[in-house]
Every structure is written in structure tokens, then in C-alpha cells.
Amino acid sequence: MKISFLLHNAYGIGGTITTTFNLAQTLARRHEVEIISVLRHRELPTFVLDPRVSLRSLVDLREDKEHPSHLRPARVFPRSEYRYGQYSELTDQRIAEALATTDADAVIGTRPGLNVHLAREAPGHVARVGQEHLTLDKHSPRLRTALRRAYRGLDVLTTVTEADAASYRRRMRLPGVRVEALPNSVPDPALPPADGSAKVVVAAGRLVGLKRYDLLVEAFAAVAAKHPDWQLRIYGKGEEQDRLRRLITDLRLWNNVFLMGPAAPMEAEWVKGSIGAATSDFEPFGMTIVEAMRCGLPVVSTDCPHGPAEIIADGVDGRLVPVGDRDALAAALLELVGDDELRRRMSRAALENARRFAPEPVVEQAEGLIAEAVAARRAGRPVVRGGQGAALSARGSAARDTALAAASGALRLVRKGRS
């Protein structure tokens, strides 16, 4: 098969880019694979891409930033989508052209706005697979309303957790669309795993409020007080960097907590630690949790919706603590820091249990879904018969979203009138 991925910007840094590259590279062992990057802002991607995967872009911002069509708003890409401001009449045109001329058997969209393009504009012979990397609850009522209409044009919709797949089936009513959970995969580590002896806790991700690194730093103060020879290393960059640096200073943790900046790939940094930490208020999957576990680190994580509880077996290969609970987080970290045997036992369990997120089992599932969608398209039939959700529940959700979207629109008009 020939498989194309439609990606927002393959030249940046982020979890969707990472997991798309991982999946594309493994599929390329047996299929012809390309990544179509809607936007491009630099010469080479940040992440190394297997040469068996072709990469092309549609709008090069180094040349097209002032293109007249790029200065006009998008009409197909939904206005309520988070990235709407980066899309335009020009991206609408070039995405439509790319889909109209594709020779792929299947095209995979990687975010809601691109899934809308795919559902509406892909030729009839092309299998349409939409991926969701956030969760249904995190989409606004306006966006859910738009997706409820558009997603009926997909063949398959994948989410990264079973909980979110169940939510889509129950609340969206997408007759004929196969809705399945497909977790993100992490490549087999090239380095030997951590042995649990390093006195280092490692965290990684964007330094933004949602990730709650402030909570982690505050919790680690309790660890440093009892075990001053332990360190916390936080990898990443973002808007919270200066605030976190001030917090570290205020708590006098400058000898224990370090903002390390971004690192790609992270594998070499994970294996220098003995414990991973993830403290988000919300996490649709938890890519860094899997990365840490695949390198032999038990992970202490907040039990936020939806991902961590589907990855970590509490007390076996890591710990789950209530969202926002600094004391519980500190206690879980202290438990692992203070017990070498427990830490090493959990390390071995993390290595074993995280194998289900290796590329092969995930790609095998992805291949099956793609092949099923391609066969259904060729036969001129839906992938599944009827809907997968409860009709009454889906109708109720649709009515609530429509009402909320209308109320939000009215509020914007009132505010606009006042200004």
C-alpha cells in the first residue's frame, strides 16, 4: 500500500510529530510512505526521518508568508480549531490540491482540522483515516459540532486511549466509521536501560502551565530535604521557564533542580535517571511516560484524564497520584527514592510492561485498520455497519454542544458590540 500522512508542521517539535514519524518509519519497512507537511519554516526537520519516508511541504513560510492568499482566512479548516490562525485560503487550496492528486491508497490526518479536509476533500477511492491526539472533552462545543458533521466522511477514526474511543462512540454517533484506540508507539531504545542507581528524577515536555512543573518542583522540595544528594532534571522549553526558575530560587533548590532545556532525542537523558515524573492536569496519552518506561524508569504521574492510567499499573511499574496533590506526589517520589529494591523492581516491570507500546504491535494494529479501510473503499461499503454509539446519548450530546456553541457565539457578539 501507499500511505500518506497529512501533518501540520513536520519541522517543529511536539508529540504528534514524534508519534507520526515513529509510525511512518515503521510502516515504511513494508509500505510506500510519505509525510505531507502543510507548513514548513526551516530547511530540515528537527527530528531525523528515515530516508525510506518521503517528506514534502505545501506552504513554505520562508517564501509564502506574505502570499496574498495566505493573508486571507481559511474557509475549510474549522475556525474553532486551535491552529486556525495559522491556516489560510492558501493552505485550503494546497491541501485540496494535494488530496485531489494523491496516488495514495490511504491518507491519515493527524489533527481535527486536517481530518475535516480529509473527510470532505479526499477522492472517493482513497481510504480516510483520522487521528485524534487530544480528547473529545478538550474540544470546544463549536468544534465538536463541526466534527460531528465532518467526521462522518471518514472511514476510521483513532484515538490514543480506550477511554476516549468510548467517548467518541457514545457521544458523536458516526455511522459507518470504525472508532478504535491506537496508542502512540515508542521505538526500541538503542541504549542500555537505566539500572536504578542514579539519584536523578527526570521529567520532560513543554514548559507550560498545563504540565504543572511548578507542582513537581514544590513536591521535590520535600525529597531534597530528606535526600539532598538527589536531583530533579526537567527537559523542555516554554512560557513557564522564567517562573519555574524563580520558584527554584525561592525554594533554594538551585543545587537540586535543574532546567535542562530541550533535548531530542530524549533517550540518552532518560537512561541517566532512575525515576520519571509527569504532573499534568490533563494528558491525552502520555508519550513521555512511555519513553521513560521503555528506558527502564518507573514513573510517578498524576492520574489525569485519560492516558496515564492506561499506561501505568499503580504500584507495579510506577505510581498514580491525584491531580494537583503536591503532598501525594511528594510521598510517591519519596517512596521510590527511599527504597532501592522497590525502585529496581518497578524498573524491571516498567521495561516489561512498556513493550506493548513498541512499534511492531502498534503498527500491526494500524496496518489492520488501514487495510480494512482500503478494502471497504474498494468494495464501496462502510468499514462498519451502522453506528457504534448509543443513539439517544449521541443525540443528547449533539443538542448540548449546539446549545453551548450558540450561547458562546451570542456572548462573543455581545462582547464585540460593547467594544
Side-chain angles (χ1 to χ4, degrees):
M1 290 187 292
K2 179 172 182 180
I3 302 165
S4 292
F5 288 84
L6 190 58
L7 186 62
H8 169 66
N9 188 338
Y11 298 82
I13 296 177
T16 300
I17 301 168
T18 302
T19 192
T20 299
F21 276 34
N22 289 345
L23 181 56
Q25 289 169 162
T26 310
L27 284 169
R29 298 172 186 171
R30 295 186 285 272
H31 306 281
E32 183 181 354
V33 180
E34 72 169 348
I35 294 175
I36 302 171
S37 179
V38 176
L39 300 178
R40 178 179 185 173
H41 67 286
R42 56 185 294 176
E43 183 62 26
L44 297 173
T46 301
F47 300 121
V48 177
L49 184 63
D50 190 307
R52 290 175 293 187
V53 179
S54 63
L55 173 64
R56 61 186 173 104
S57 60
L58 303 180
V59 175
D60 191 329
L61 296 174
R62 298 170 300 174
E63 302 169 0
D64 295 326
K65 190 174 183 179
E66 301 301 323
H67 191 292
S69 294
H70 194 53
L71 302 177
R72 293 192 285 270
R75 293 177 179 270
V76 178
F77 196 93
R79 185 179 294 272
S80 47
E81 220 265 39
Y82 169 69
R83 295 284 187 184
Y84 177 76
Q86 294 176 259
Y87 284 74
S88 65
E89 187 179 283
L90 183 63
T91 59
D92 277 357
Q93 292 169 354
R94 294 193 178 168
I95 293 170
E97 291 168 2
L99 290 172
T101 58
T102 186
D103 61 347
D105 297 293
V107 177
I108 301 173
T110 56
R111 64 175 307 110
L114 298 180
N115 294 339
V116 169
H117 273 280
L118 178 60
R120 291 181 176 176
E121 299 174 335
H125 67 277
V126 173
R128 308 162 186 192
V129 180
Q131 290 182 340
E132 280 283 0
H133 291 277
L134 281 176
T135 66
L136 186 59
D137 285 337
K138 281 297 176 180
H139 295 329
S140 69
R142 288 182 71 207
L143 183 56
R144 288 197 296 265
T145 298
L147 299 183
R148 192 173 276 110
R149 293 191 296 265
Y151 276 11
R152 294 187 177 200
L154 297 173
D155 298 301
V156 173
L157 177 66
T158 67
T159 64
V160 290
T161 64
E162 291 287 353
D164 201 40
S167 186
Y168 269 91
R169 296 185 197 113
R170 185 177 67 254
R171 296 166 55 190
M172 293 294 276
R173 187 155 174 79
L174 302 172
V177 181
R178 175 87 177 266
V179 180
E180 293 289 343
L182 180 71
N184 295 330
S185 69
V186 172
D188 298 328
L191 298 173
D195 62 9
S197 63
K199 298 181 178 182
V200 178
V201 177
V202 181
R206 292 178 298 121
L207 305 186
V208 294
L210 187 69
K211 299 293 186 180
R212 294 304 310 273
Y213 290 115
D214 59 328
L215 186 77
L216 178 57
V217 172
E218 290 171 353
F220 197 78
V223 177
K226 292 187 176 181
H227 302 274
D229 51 345
W230 274 74
Q231 293 182 358
L232 168 63
R233 298 177 186 173
I234 301 174
Y235 292 84
K237 63 179 180 179
E239 61 198 38
E240 289 281 292
Q241 182 169 318
D242 291 340
R243 192 168 82 89
L244 290 170
R245 187 174 286 114
R246 289 194 298 271
L247 179 61
I248 292 167
T249 300
D250 291 345
L251 295 175
R252 305 177 69 84
L253 292 172
W254 47 73
N255 290 325
N256 298 94
V257 180
F258 302 92
L259 301 181
M260 306 294 291
M266 264 295 296
E267 181 183 330
E269 310 310 322
W270 290 122
V271 298
K272 295 173 185 174
S274 291
I275 302 169
T279 49
S280 298
D281 287 340
F282 161 75
E283 197 67 71
F285 178 66
M287 192 73 166
T288 59
I289 297 175
V290 178
E291 289 177 354
M293 291 173 67
R294 296 225 69 200
C295 290
L297 274 64
V299 178
V300 176
S301 173
T302 47
D303 189 11
C304 60
H306 286 291
E310 292 193 15
I311 301 170
I312 296 170
D314 188 29
V316 177
D317 52 25
R319 290 299 315 277
L320 294 169
V321 301
V323 173
D325 192 330
R326 180 189 60 197
D327 293 340
L329 178 62
L333 288 169
L334 282 166
E335 180 184 19
L336 269 69
V337 165
D339 190 332
D340 293 348
E341 179 51 38
L342 173 66
R343 193 168 65 248
R344 292 190 174 101
R345 186 168 68 248
M346 283 193 175
S347 173
R348 293 190 294 270
L351 273 175
E352 179 64 29
N353 295 345
R355 286 178 182 169
R356 68 191 190 278
F357 301 108
E360 284 303 327
V362 174
V363 168
E364 183 177 343
Q365 183 187 356
E367 279 182 316
L369 291 170
I370 296 167
E372 190 174 342
V374 169
R377 275 281 159 185
R378 289 174 179 170
R381 59 172 175 79
V383 179
V384 294
R385 307 292 184 185
Q388 288 184 312
L392 288 176
S393 175
R395 289 194 192 105
S397 295
R400 284 192 297 273
D401 286 343
T402 300
L404 288 169
S408 177
L411 183 59
R412 280 196 303 274
L413 286 174
V414 170
R415 289 173 175 168
K416 187 176 180 181
R418 287 175 178 172
S419 62

mmCIF file of all heavy atoms in Angstrom, residues 186-194 266-268 270-271 290-296 351 354-355 357-359:
data_model
loop_
_atom_site.group_PDB
_atom_site.id
_atom_site.type_symbol
_atom_site.label_atom_id
_atom_site.label_comp_id
_atom_site.label_asym_id
_atom_site.label_seq_id
_atom_site.Cartn_x
_atom_site.Cartn_y
_atom_site.Cartn_z
ATOM 1 N N VAL A 186 6.642 3.938 20.776
ATOM 2 C CA VAL A 186 7.974 4.465 21.051
ATOM 3 C C VAL A 186 8.988 3.438 20.556
ATOM 4 O O VAL A 186 8.885 2.258 20.904
ATOM 5 C CB VAL A 186 8.173 4.726 22.558
ATOM 6 C CG1 VAL A 186 9.625 5.079 22.857
ATOM 7 C CG2 VAL A 186 7.245 5.853 23.024
ATOM 8 N N PRO A 187 9.952 3.851 19.737
ATOM 9 C CA PRO A 187 10.928 2.893 19.188
ATOM 10 C C PRO A 187 11.698 2.157 20.273
ATOM 11 O O PRO A 187 11.849 2.646 21.399
ATOM 12 C CB PRO A 187 11.867 3.793 18.362
ATOM 13 C CG PRO A 187 11.083 5.020 18.065
ATOM 14 C CD PRO A 187 10.177 5.219 19.249
ATOM 15 N N ASP A 188 12.192 0.985 19.917
ATOM 16 C CA ASP A 188 13.033 0.238 20.843
ATOM 17 C C ASP A 188 14.266 1.063 21.180
ATOM 18 O O ASP A 188 14.957 1.554 20.271
ATOM 19 C CB ASP A 188 13.464 -1.091 20.215
ATOM 20 C CG ASP A 188 12.278 -1.992 19.898
ATOM 21 O OD1 ASP A 188 11.285 -1.921 20.651
ATOM 22 O OD2 ASP A 188 12.347 -2.735 18.911
ATOM 23 N N PRO A 189 14.583 1.246 22.455
ATOM 24 C CA PRO A 189 15.761 2.049 22.821
ATOM 25 C C PRO A 189 17.047 1.444 22.273
ATOM 26 O O PRO A 189 17.206 0.219 22.223
ATOM 27 C CB PRO A 189 15.739 2.016 24.356
ATOM 28 C CG PRO A 189 14.320 1.710 24.721
ATOM 29 C CD PRO A 189 13.831 0.787 23.634
ATOM 30 N N ALA A 190 17.955 2.323 21.866
ATOM 31 C CA ALA A 190 19.246 1.873 21.361
ATOM 32 C C ALA A 190 20.268 1.752 22.485
ATOM 33 O O ALA A 190 21.293 1.078 22.330
ATOM 34 C CB ALA A 190 19.760 2.854 20.302
ATOM 35 N N LEU A 191 20.004 2.386 23.626
ATOM 36 C CA LEU A 191 20.934 2.389 24.746
ATOM 37 C C LEU A 191 20.503 1.383 25.812
ATOM 38 O O LEU A 191 19.310 1.074 25.922
ATOM 39 C CB LEU A 191 21.003 3.787 25.364
ATOM 40 C CG LEU A 191 21.500 4.908 24.451
ATOM 41 C CD1 LEU A 191 21.352 6.258 25.150
ATOM 42 C CD2 LEU A 191 22.954 4.675 24.055
ATOM 43 N N PRO A 192 21.442 0.882 26.602
ATOM 44 C CA PRO A 192 21.051 0.014 27.719
ATOM 45 C C PRO A 192 20.133 0.767 28.667
ATOM 46 O O PRO A 192 20.288 1.976 28.871
ATOM 47 C CB PRO A 192 22.387 -0.317 28.396
ATOM 48 C CG PRO A 192 23.430 -0.054 27.348
ATOM 49 C CD PRO A 192 22.902 1.057 26.510
ATOM 50 N N PRO A 193 19.158 0.079 29.286
ATOM 51 C CA PRO A 193 18.216 0.772 30.170
ATOM 52 C C PRO A 193 18.891 1.266 31.442
ATOM 53 O O PRO A 193 19.973 0.818 31.813
ATOM 54 C CB PRO A 193 17.168 -0.304 30.472
ATOM 55 C CG PRO A 193 17.891 -1.593 30.298
ATOM 56 C CD PRO A 193 18.867 -1.362 29.179
ATOM 57 N N ALA A 194 18.215 2.187 32.112
ATOM 58 C CA ALA A 194 18.689 2.668 33.405
ATOM 59 C C ALA A 194 18.756 1.514 34.397
ATOM 60 O O ALA A 194 17.932 0.593 34.343
ATOM 61 C CB ALA A 194 17.757 3.756 33.920
ATOM 62 N N MET A 266 15.310 12.148 23.533
ATOM 63 C CA MET A 266 15.412 12.167 24.994
ATOM 64 C C MET A 266 16.003 10.889 25.575
ATOM 65 O O MET A 266 16.349 10.843 26.755
ATOM 66 C CB MET A 266 14.020 12.377 25.594
ATOM 67 C CG MET A 266 13.688 13.812 25.945
ATOM 68 S SD MET A 266 14.728 14.505 27.257
ATOM 69 C CE MET A 266 14.299 13.474 28.662
ATOM 70 N N GLU A 267 16.130 9.871 24.768
ATOM 71 C CA GLU A 267 16.541 8.561 25.297
ATOM 72 C C GLU A 267 17.813 8.642 26.135
ATOM 73 O O GLU A 267 17.900 8.055 27.220
ATOM 74 C CB GLU A 267 16.730 7.584 24.144
ATOM 75 C CG GLU A 267 17.129 6.196 24.584
ATOM 76 C CD GLU A 267 17.371 5.266 23.404
ATOM 77 O OE1 GLU A 267 16.718 5.458 22.349
ATOM 78 O OE2 GLU A 267 18.191 4.349 23.545
ATOM 79 N N ALA A 268 18.811 9.378 25.645
ATOM 80 C CA ALA A 268 20.088 9.461 26.357
ATOM 81 C C ALA A 268 19.937 10.137 27.714
ATOM 82 O O ALA A 268 20.758 9.921 28.617
ATOM 83 C CB ALA A 268 21.110 10.215 25.507
ATOM 84 N N TRP A 270 16.869 10.033 29.556
ATOM 85 C CA TRP A 270 16.079 9.148 30.415
ATOM 86 C C TRP A 270 16.975 8.139 31.124
ATOM 87 O O TRP A 270 16.808 7.877 32.321
ATOM 88 C CB TRP A 270 15.024 8.395 29.603
ATOM 89 C CG TRP A 270 13.884 9.199 29.068
ATOM 90 C CD1 TRP A 270 13.520 9.322 27.768
ATOM 91 C CD2 TRP A 270 12.916 9.963 29.806
ATOM 92 N NE1 TRP A 270 12.405 10.121 27.636
ATOM 93 C CE2 TRP A 270 12.010 10.522 28.881
ATOM 94 C CE3 TRP A 270 12.737 10.223 31.171
ATOM 95 C CZ2 TRP A 270 10.946 11.343 29.269
ATOM 96 C CZ3 TRP A 270 11.671 11.032 31.558
ATOM 97 C CH2 TRP A 270 10.799 11.567 30.615
ATOM 98 N N VAL A 271 17.909 7.543 30.385
ATOM 99 C CA VAL A 271 18.710 6.455 30.973
ATOM 100 C C VAL A 271 19.693 6.964 32.024
ATOM 101 O O VAL A 271 20.295 6.160 32.741
ATOM 102 C CB VAL A 271 19.468 5.656 29.880
ATOM 103 C CG1 VAL A 271 18.490 4.986 28.929
ATOM 104 C CG2 VAL A 271 20.456 6.530 29.119
ATOM 105 N N VAL A 290 5.667 6.752 28.457
ATOM 106 C CA VAL A 290 6.087 5.545 27.739
ATOM 107 C C VAL A 290 7.581 5.590 27.445
ATOM 108 O O VAL A 290 8.293 4.594 27.600
ATOM 109 C CB VAL A 290 5.276 5.363 26.447
ATOM 110 C CG1 VAL A 290 5.746 4.129 25.693
ATOM 111 C CG2 VAL A 290 3.793 5.252 26.751
ATOM 112 N N GLU A 291 8.066 6.750 27.007
ATOM 113 C CA GLU A 291 9.505 6.884 26.722
ATOM 114 C C GLU A 291 10.328 6.536 27.950
ATOM 115 O O GLU A 291 11.333 5.809 27.859
ATOM 116 C CB GLU A 291 9.818 8.311 26.266
ATOM 117 C CG GLU A 291 9.307 8.670 24.889
ATOM 118 C CD GLU A 291 9.602 10.120 24.536
ATOM 119 O OE1 GLU A 291 10.107 10.865 25.403
ATOM 120 O OE2 GLU A 291 9.312 10.513 23.384
ATOM 121 N N ALA A 292 9.937 7.074 29.098
ATOM 122 C CA ALA A 292 10.677 6.807 30.328
ATOM 123 C C ALA A 292 10.629 5.326 30.690
ATOM 124 O O ALA A 292 11.662 4.717 31.032
ATOM 125 C CB ALA A 292 10.106 7.655 31.462
ATOM 126 N N MET A 293 9.447 4.722 30.608
ATOM 127 C CA MET A 293 9.306 3.311 30.959
ATOM 128 C C MET A 293 10.097 2.413 30.019
ATOM 129 O O MET A 293 10.691 1.417 30.451
ATOM 130 C CB MET A 293 7.831 2.926 30.960
ATOM 131 C CG MET A 293 7.043 3.564 32.092
ATOM 132 S SD MET A 293 5.253 3.272 31.996
ATOM 133 C CE MET A 293 5.174 1.494 32.269
ATOM 134 N N ARG A 294 10.128 2.764 28.749
ATOM 135 C CA ARG A 294 10.887 1.950 27.794
ATOM 136 C C ARG A 294 12.390 2.043 28.048
ATOM 137 O O ARG A 294 13.157 1.197 27.577
ATOM 138 C CB ARG A 294 10.583 2.377 26.352
ATOM 139 C CG ARG A 294 9.138 2.144 25.928
ATOM 140 C CD ARG A 294 9.052 1.513 24.547
ATOM 141 N NE ARG A 294 9.528 0.149 24.528
ATOM 142 C CZ ARG A 294 9.924 -0.489 23.435
ATOM 143 N NH1 ARG A 294 9.907 0.142 22.258
ATOM 144 N NH2 ARG A 294 10.333 -1.732 23.468
ATOM 145 N N CYS A 295 12.806 3.073 28.793
ATOM 146 C CA CYS A 295 14.213 3.200 29.181
ATOM 147 C C CYS A 295 14.466 2.677 30.591
ATOM 148 O O CYS A 295 15.554 2.858 31.141
ATOM 149 C CB CYS A 295 14.651 4.661 29.088
ATOM 150 S SG CYS A 295 14.774 5.275 27.392
ATOM 151 N N GLY A 296 13.449 2.031 31.187
ATOM 152 C CA GLY A 296 13.649 1.386 32.479
ATOM 153 C C GLY A 296 13.330 2.234 33.684
ATOM 154 O O GLY A 296 13.715 1.886 34.805
ATOM 155 N N LEU A 351 10.015 -1.831 32.153
ATOM 156 C CA LEU A 351 10.592 -2.312 30.895
ATOM 157 C C LEU A 351 9.703 -3.361 30.247
ATOM 158 O O LEU A 351 9.438 -3.321 29.039
ATOM 159 C CB LEU A 351 11.980 -2.899 31.147
ATOM 160 C CG LEU A 351 13.186 -1.968 31.137
ATOM 161 C CD1 LEU A 351 14.436 -2.739 31.536
ATOM 162 C CD2 LEU A 351 13.376 -1.349 29.756
ATOM 163 N N ALA A 354 6.022 -1.905 29.217
ATOM 164 C CA ALA A 354 6.010 -0.888 28.160
ATOM 165 C C ALA A 354 6.252 -1.484 26.777
ATOM 166 O O ALA A 354 6.133 -0.768 25.777
ATOM 167 C CB ALA A 354 7.055 0.186 28.458
ATOM 168 N N ARG A 355 6.551 -2.784 26.726
ATOM 169 C CA ARG A 355 6.781 -3.404 25.411
ATOM 170 C C ARG A 355 5.536 -3.379 24.536
ATOM 171 O O ARG A 355 5.630 -3.450 23.309
ATOM 172 C CB ARG A 355 7.258 -4.848 25.585
ATOM 173 C CG ARG A 355 8.693 -4.948 26.066
ATOM 174 C CD ARG A 355 9.116 -6.386 26.264
ATOM 175 N NE ARG A 355 10.478 -6.464 26.774
ATOM 176 C CZ ARG A 355 11.036 -7.575 27.245
ATOM 177 N NH1 ARG A 355 10.328 -8.710 27.249
ATOM 178 N NH2 ARG A 355 12.277 -7.572 27.693
ATOM 179 N N PHE A 357 3.902 -0.922 23.845
ATOM 180 C CA PHE A 357 3.945 0.315 23.082
ATOM 181 C C PHE A 357 5.115 0.348 22.097
ATOM 182 O O PHE A 357 5.417 1.396 21.525
ATOM 183 C CB PHE A 357 4.032 1.517 24.025
ATOM 184 C CG PHE A 357 2.871 1.612 24.979
ATOM 185 C CD1 PHE A 357 3.035 1.333 26.324
ATOM 186 C CD2 PHE A 357 1.610 1.961 24.528
ATOM 187 C CE1 PHE A 357 1.976 1.414 27.207
ATOM 188 C CE2 PHE A 357 0.533 2.040 25.393
ATOM 189 C CZ PHE A 357 0.716 1.766 26.735
ATOM 190 N N ALA A 358 5.776 -0.796 21.911
ATOM 191 C CA ALA A 358 6.828 -0.886 20.895
ATOM 192 C C ALA A 358 6.200 -0.737 19.510
ATOM 193 O O ALA A 358 5.005 -0.977 19.328
ATOM 194 C CB ALA A 358 7.550 -2.221 21.012
ATOM 195 N N PRO A 359 6.983 -0.333 18.518
ATOM 196 C CA PRO A 359 6.412 -0.085 17.185
ATOM 197 C C PRO A 359 5.670 -1.266 16.589
ATOM 198 O O PRO A 359 4.590 -1.081 16.019
ATOM 199 C CB PRO A 359 7.642 0.288 16.351
ATOM 200 C CG PRO A 359 8.605 0.877 17.328
ATOM 201 C CD PRO A 359 8.400 0.075 18.587
#
